[in-house]
Amino acid sequence: MTALTEVREARPAHRDGNVLRWLGGYSASTLGDSVYYIALSWTAVRSGTPAEAGLVMAVSAVPRALLMLGGGVIADRFGPRRVVVLSDTVRCLVVLGVAALLLLSGPGLWMLAAVALVFGTVDALFLPAVGALPPRIAARDQLARVQGMRGLAQRAALVLGAPLGGLAVALGGPAAAFGAAGLLFAVSLPLLLTLRISPLPGGGPARDATALRDLADGLRYLRRHRVLGPLVVVVALSDLGFVGPLNVGLALLADERGWGAAGIGWVLAGFGTGAGAASLLLTVRGRIPRAGAVLGWTIALGAGSIAALAYVPQLPVAVAVALSVGLLAGLSGALCGALIQTECAPAYLGRVTAVTGFVSLGLAPLSYPLTGAAVGLWGLGPVFVASAAVCALGGIYGLLVPALRGAELPRVPARRT
């Protein structure tokens, strides 16, 4: 056993300097991404028509979906830290370059679309790599806690990113907002560069194999795994049933009920609070007993809350229902991430993370136009119920697969007195 491993086992993740450096770098990068999104959306809206602005915002989704699986191969082949550092370096240089150009001339839609295209491409590399990094910096029994810490960082970035980006725009215009995003990406770099990385047990993918063979090998590993294969099916079904009502149906529901934009904000705040509480629970406890069974039940119960949301007439009750959706969905999402981290061999984690990311970010958003069209045909209630049924089907499937239902997170060793 190496000295580094001994230190990790003796120290919980939230007291491990190596993990805290990772958390700081990841938080700065995620916050920079939120500020960048505000800067890009505001600049696009002020530079063209609403349709053109929407097109600019949608451009990044194409390379992210098309290249995600290849990004997982690159993360496993070259190491997740190297890919994450390179990704944040590119994003830092690009947004600082945009900030400089905006100081010299007005923004052009082509320039903004090019920036969105670069960010989508970088995301396809960054997302699998950042998912593959935790087992290289923390002990296996601390990975669930690390997943909870990551969830808290994501929620904090969502809460702080919008006002920080808006403040930067108000004080110095789009150039200041892009500059602030670039500085946040720059802050992440020294923290990520100083991480201590453990070598992979048994080495990584064979360097003489082609990228396509690496990808095929990863897909075979995922298909044959008794827990991870079914878990991807659970993720696909739950996301397909969840994202449409939350991202499209919620706006239509608020409009129909007369809650307005402020009502959407309150409902999303309730959801975010519940999801944050779930991440905090995993961070503090470090382990949820019977994780596989809890995952299935939380997805099924969360689906019931999604269906109920369409039939709530008062905004305060809707916020309370959204809080329960966030708590259950946040817990199931954190458990999915923790099980992937602990069940997957580290050498395959980039590719496995890429598959789940492709399902969540590439396939699930295809339900947006279908949700909108279905609401126009049948109304909010039936569509929310149908979407909830698809989501519940994911939880039920997970409960019916013995290996996934019985999956456990590693036990956190008792602290020595």
Side-chain angles (χ1 to χ4, degrees):
M1 183 180 293
T2 65
L4 177 57
T5 305
E6 289 175 358
V7 171
R8 285 179 185 167
E9 290 180 350
R11 187 177 300 171
H14 60 283
R15 295 183 180 177
D16 187 335
N18 201 44
V19 174
L20 293 177
R21 283 194 297 275
W22 164 83
L23 182 64
Y26 177 74
S27 299
S29 178
T30 307
L31 184 57
D33 203 43
S34 295
V35 174
Y36 150 80
Y37 185 85
I38 296 297
L40 182 70
S41 59
W42 176 260
T43 309
V45 167
R46 296 299 297 268
S47 304
T49 65
E52 290 171 334
L55 184 61
V56 167
M57 300 307 297
V59 163
S60 63
V62 177
R64 185 169 57 225
L66 294 178
L67 302 176
M68 181 77 75
L69 296 180
V73 172
I74 291 172
D76 286 337
R77 178 170 282 236
F78 296 102
R81 181 181 62 173
R82 185 178 301 175
V83 176
V84 168
V85 169
L86 178 62
S87 299
D88 272 358
T89 300
V90 172
R91 295 199 282 189
C92 176
L93 294 176
V94 168
V95 293
L96 289 179
V98 172
L101 288 175
L102 290 177
L103 291 175
L104 300 175
S105 62
L109 286 174
W110 285 109
M111 179 190 73
L112 298 176
V115 171
L117 190 66
V118 170
F119 262 68
T121 303
V122 172
D123 279 348
L125 301 175
F126 177 84
L127 293 173
V130 82
L133 197 51
R136 308 289 294 273
I137 62 171
R140 186 171 180 268
D141 55 48
Q142 294 297 317
L143 291 177
R145 182 168 277 141
V146 170
Q147 190 66 25
M149 295 164 71
R150 181 182 176 186
L152 287 175
Q154 289 174 328
R155 294 299 161 191
L158 290 174
V159 171
L160 298 176
L164 182 58
L167 179 63
V169 170
L171 294 177
F178 278 109
L183 292 176
L184 285 166
F185 289 130
V187 168
S188 75
L189 295 176
L191 295 169
L192 295 170
L193 285 169
T194 55
L195 291 179
R196 301 189 305 275
I197 302 296
S198 288
L200 286 175
R207 289 302 182 98
D208 57 349
T210 65
L212 190 58
R213 287 180 180 175
D214 281 349
L215 177 58
D217 182 39
L219 294 177
R220 280 194 300 271
Y221 171 81
L222 182 59
R223 178 172 58 84
R224 294 170 179 172
H225 200 286
R226 297 171 62 248
V227 173
L228 295 177
L231 187 57
V232 170
V233 177
V234 171
V235 170
L237 290 172
S238 58
D239 278 355
L240 283 170
F242 177 77
V243 298
L246 189 67
N247 290 279
V248 177
L250 180 58
L252 298 174
L253 180 66
D255 181 63
E256 183 179 278
R257 297 286 192 272
W259 297 339
I264 297 176
W266 278 108
V267 174
L268 288 177
F271 173 83
T273 301
S279 294
L280 182 61
L281 174 65
L282 198 58
T283 300
V284 173
R285 287 186 58 86
R287 181 180 184 271
I288 301 295
R290 304 188 65 190
V294 173
L295 168 66
W297 282 112
T298 51
I299 291 175
L301 294 173
S305 296
I306 292 172
L309 195 59
Y311 297 95
V312 173
Q314 291 88 17
L315 179 58
V317 181
V319 173
V321 173
L323 180 70
S324 71
V325 173
L327 182 62
L328 294 167
L331 184 55
S332 63
L335 288 174
C336 274
L339 286 171
I340 289 171
Q341 294 282 325
T342 55
E343 290 285 343
C344 184
Y348 288 94
L349 193 48
R351 282 164 284 180
V352 171
T353 303
V355 172
T356 58
F358 174 75
V359 168
S360 298
L361 300 174
L363 295 183
L366 297 178
S367 66
Y368 293 171
L370 295 177
T371 300
V375 169
L377 289 173
W378 298 298
L380 285 165
V383 172
F384 269 66
V385 170
S387 297
V390 174
C391 185
L393 186 61
I396 294 170
Y397 173 78
L399 291 171
L400 292 176
V401 177
L404 179 54
R405 184 181 66 248
E408 291 279 9
L409 296 175
R411 291 187 179 277
V412 179
R415 293 180 58 187
R416 296 178 181 177
T417 56

